[in-house]
Every structure is written in structure tokens, then in C-alpha cells.
Amino acid sequence: MLDLDAYLRRVGYRGPITPDGTTLRNLHRAHIAAITFENLDVMLGRGVEVDLPRVQDKLVHAGRGGYCYEHGVLFGAVLQHLGYRVDRLLARTGDPAEQPRPRSHLVLRVGDGDRTWLADVGFGSGLLEPLPLVEGDPQCQGAWEYQLRRGVDGAWRLRERTTDTWTTLLTFSEEPQYPVDVEVANHNTATSPHSPFTQQCILVRKDDTTVRRLIGRDYSEERPGIATRTRSLTDEEYGAVLNAEFGLALSPPEIRALVAALSPPGPDRPTAPDLELRPPRGDHDA
């Protein structure tokens, strides 16, 4: 079912496809650079399906983005097609020792014959490259720094350093999940009134130096060590930012429908809820 050539064109990858660590890192980076984290189909009333044919139609052939389950389903299929060993794992955002949250995020455990890796192309503001699935020294990816640690409960913590503080982005165990588990988790994320993804538009792109976010109508750019600046977009600006900053060339009717779902501009609109894509971090909350 996978159109590998179309996927490689979509992410702009022209390198070797030998199933080793180098190919995995390069594909991981190419995927994140090309395919935006976004939930716009939920806000457009279309819902989200996570079977491979529909994910591929949307993310590859239609040039759209998606959220974690869509990214993970597509990337996992690509890696398996190339010869990697892939297990789907469901993770919790944050640390359950601090605040228990449901398993609402999809990550991949990837084996290349020599090493086992954590791959995660669908967190929005998470890894740029996979990490070896071992406890080790912190690793820099551009301006960002990450580390894997096991907790006393035996579960893995993916941590990110913010200035001098380590924050747990997500927690996961190594129990493989079946497609039906991903389908059920996706249904809750896409339909529950308590899910942040049913409440407002959420888009994220990350590179070596910057995380760009559009939450509702609030657009921000985050860089390590620099105060995050946020501005509220007007209705007229919205479509242009979707295209220029997130690579989504939506139709005029789609843009009008998204704008109609936005809270009105002004100081009295609701603040953004606690989002899956990043645990609470004070001024850095999405």
C-alpha cells in the first residue's frame, strides 16, 4: 500500500535507503522539515483516520500535515518497507509521577540490526532526529538538547533541557501496540470534547533553531534562551501564515471555515489549553 517513491519526493530525500542509523536520522529530519504538525481536518469537521491509505493520501499526495498518529503510521510504514524492525508504542505526555495523563501520543521503537532507536516525527516540538534507546549523555540536535532516562517505574522519560532545567516531554514503556490500539487512541484525540485538538487549530513546525506555533490565532516563534514573542493574527493574515510559515496551501473555502472557527481577536478571548504537543512549561506553554 505504500508509495515509497512519492513519499521520498514529498520529504525531499534523495540519499541512500540502506536500513541503518544514518538513513534513519536523515529520513527523520527530512520528514519533520517537510510535513507539518497540524489538526486542521478536525477543525474542518472531517475527522482523522489512521489507516495507511488515507494517511498517505493526505500527508503525501495532498501535501497536508497531520498529528502524531498520522505521522507515526506513515513513518513507521516507510521504515518497515525499507527493512527496519518497527514497533508502535503509545506514550504519555509529561511525567505521570507529576501529573498522570492518558497514553495519547504515538512513538516508534526502531531496530536497524545493530541498535534500537526512539523515533518520533509527530510530537510537533520534539525530536529532530531519533535517539538511541539507551540511557546516555545528553545529545544536542541543533539548538535543542535531549536525554533518555528510565524512571523508578521502569518507563522511559524523554527529557529536554530548557536553560538549566530538564523537562520531561513524554513517558513510555516498551509494550508494542496494535493498529487497533492506535485507532482507539486517535478516536479519543479527534472526537473528545476534552481533547485540545477538538478545541482550536494547532500547527507546529520545528527546525534547528526555532519552533513556530499557531495556536488558535496566536502565532509565536520560540528560540532557546530568547523570550518567546506571540502575536494575534487578524482574519486577513491567517491564510497567508498557514502557507508561508507552515507550508499549507489551503483553498479559500477551507481558510474561511477555519477563520470562522477562531475566537474573536482581543484581550478577552480564552487562553490556549494545556496541549499534547508540550507539557506545561510556564511562559513556554503553547
Side-chain angles (χ1 to χ4, degrees):
M1 291 186 293
L2 178 72
D3 187 344
L4 179 63
D5 289 340
Y7 172 82
L8 296 176
R9 288 193 300 270
R10 172 73 169 97
V11 301
Y13 182 78
R14 298 178 178 85
I17 54 174
T18 305
D20 56 23
T22 299
T23 297
L24 177 60
R25 285 193 295 270
N26 291 338
L27 278 175
H28 199 287
R29 274 190 168 269
H31 183 111
I32 287 175
I35 306 180
T36 295
F37 181 101
E38 51 110 330
N39 71 327
L40 298 185
D41 273 2
V42 176
M43 301 309 298
L44 289 168
R46 299 169 180 166
V48 172
E49 300 295 338
V50 291
D51 59 285
L52 179 59
R54 280 182 278 194
V55 169
Q56 180 171 250
D57 284 345
K58 179 182 174 184
L59 274 63
V60 175
H61 300 305
R64 286 284 306 281
Y67 58 29
C68 69
Y69 308 111
E70 298 168 281
H71 283 271
V73 164
L74 177 60
F75 196 59
V78 169
L79 296 181
Q80 281 188 302
H81 188 90
L82 295 179
Y84 294 93
R85 185 182 68 254
V86 179
D87 291 310
R88 285 82 177 161
L89 311 177
L90 287 174
R92 307 177 191 274
T93 58
D95 190 333
E98 300 170 1
Q99 179 183 350
R101 296 181 180 180
R103 291 186 175 95
S104 61
H105 180 63
L106 178 64
V107 302
L108 304 175
R109 181 177 60 192
V110 182
D112 64 9
D114 296 320
R115 306 183 78 174
T116 301
W117 304 82
L118 170 67
D120 185 5
V121 294
F123 195 72
S125 59
L127 296 174
L128 296 174
E129 302 177 3
L131 286 177
L133 192 55
V134 294
E135 286 192 292
D137 295 332
Q139 294 194 16
C140 290
Q141 300 183 1
W144 319 96
E145 190 172 9
Y146 298 99
Q147 186 177 46
L148 279 168
R149 289 292 191 196
R150 279 195 186 272
V152 295
D153 56 1
W156 289 101
R157 269 75 172 168
L158 173 63
R159 306 196 303 163
E160 180 182 18
R161 189 198 296 271
T162 305
T163 313
D164 295 323
T165 302
W166 285 97
T167 299
T168 298
L169 297 182
L170 55 89
T171 303
F172 62 96
S173 61
E174 294 190 63
E175 178 187 1
Q177 306 295 305
Y178 297 101
V180 67
D181 299 312
V182 178
E183 180 182 346
V184 169
N186 172 67
H187 177 76
N188 182 71
T189 299
T191 64
S192 170
H194 303 295
S195 167
F197 296 99
T198 64
Q199 298 177 33
Q200 60 186 340
C201 298
I202 301 171
L203 302 96
V204 187
R205 288 192 92 168
K206 184 176 186 178
D207 58 31
D208 279 320
T209 62
T210 307
V211 178
R212 293 172 175 83
R213 291 187 178 88
L214 182 57
I215 312 298
R217 66 169 69 243
D218 291 338
Y219 174 73
S220 66
E221 295 185 359
E222 176 188 344
R223 297 178 176 88
I226 300 174
T228 300
R229 302 183 65 179
T230 302
R231 66 185 182 93
S232 181
L233 302 180
T234 66
D235 292 353
E236 292 73 22
E237 292 176 307
Y238 209 81
V241 170
L242 288 178
N243 188 0
E245 301 298 339
F246 298 97
L248 300 176
L250 301 179
S251 68
E254 288 173 323
I255 293 171
R256 287 195 295 270
L258 293 172
V259 168
L262 296 173
S263 299
D268 297 328
R269 70 180 185 276
T271 57
D274 184 20
L275 301 176
E276 178 201 273
L277 55 104
R278 180 178 291 276
R281 285 177 51 182
D283 291 342
H284 292 286
D285 266 6

